[in-house]
């Protein structure tokens, strides 16, 4: 993925590791905290030169060497992933339950035999 790795917590996609940079998932509720910490978003160029900015921002450098400092940032990423998963579940239309087709009633053997002779 983008020449890097995706990191999951259970089934939640929470981070990208690209080169030596850990990018944590963000959303509208968490992005400002990353911006205030002077982080930068992950972005890439498409074949036609357009820049695509993803919802993953670099973890603050000081948090990279301290589990205690990383924990609040990881919690923000997990919270963002949980909100994204919840919105996908509520936005997805529910599939109708599949039911087995009803079989046609069987004719008595004598009726089947008469129909085959005609």
């Amino acid at each position: 993925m983008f020449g890097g790795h995706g990191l999951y917590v259970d089934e939640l996609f929470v981070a990208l590791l690209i080169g030596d940079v850990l990018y944590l998932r963000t959303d509208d509720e968490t992005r400002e905290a990353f911006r205030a910490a002077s982080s930068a978003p992950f972005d890439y160029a498409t074949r036609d030169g357009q820049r695509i900015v993803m919802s993953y921002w670099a973890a603050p450098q000081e948090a990279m060497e301290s589990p205690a400092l990383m924990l609040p940032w990881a919690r923000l990423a997990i919270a963002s992933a949980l909100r994204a998963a919840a919105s996908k579940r509520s936005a997805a239309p529910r599939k109708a339950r599949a039911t087995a087709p009803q079989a046609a009633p069987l004719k008595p053997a004598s009726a089947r035999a008469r129909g085959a002779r005609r």
Side-chain angles (χ1 to χ4, degrees):
M1 169 179 285
F2 303 104
H5 301 280
L7 302 175
Y8 289 82
V9 171
D10 297 324
E11 286 115 32
L12 298 172
F13 192 77
V14 297
L16 298 168
L17 182 59
I18 300 173
D20 291 334
V21 181
L22 176 65
Y23 294 95
L24 299 171
R25 184 171 195 127
T26 65
D27 62 9
D28 291 341
E29 291 187 35
T30 61
R31 196 168 296 115
E32 192 54 41
F34 284 85
R35 186 176 285 120
S38 300
S39 293
F42 172 69
D43 65 351
Y44 65 95
T46 63
R47 289 183 183 167
D48 63 359
Q50 181 182 1
R51 298 293 307 162
I52 304 296
V53 177
M54 304 273 299
S55 291
Y56 293 86
W57 284 58
Q61 193 59 40
E62 63 274 4
M64 294 302 296
E65 300 298 324
S66 169
L69 293 177
M70 181 58 76
L71 185 58
W73 297 103
R75 286 183 174 152
L76 289 174
I78 292 168
S80 295
L82 284 168
R83 282 189 292 275
S87 71
K88 284 181 185 177
R89 280 192 300 270
S90 65
R94 297 184 102 189
K95 290 184 179 179
R97 285 187 158 205
T99 58
Q102 296 295 321
L106 291 177
K107 295 180 182 178
S110 58
R112 284 194 307 250
R114 279 193 305 256
R117 287 186 217 145
R118 290 184 188 178

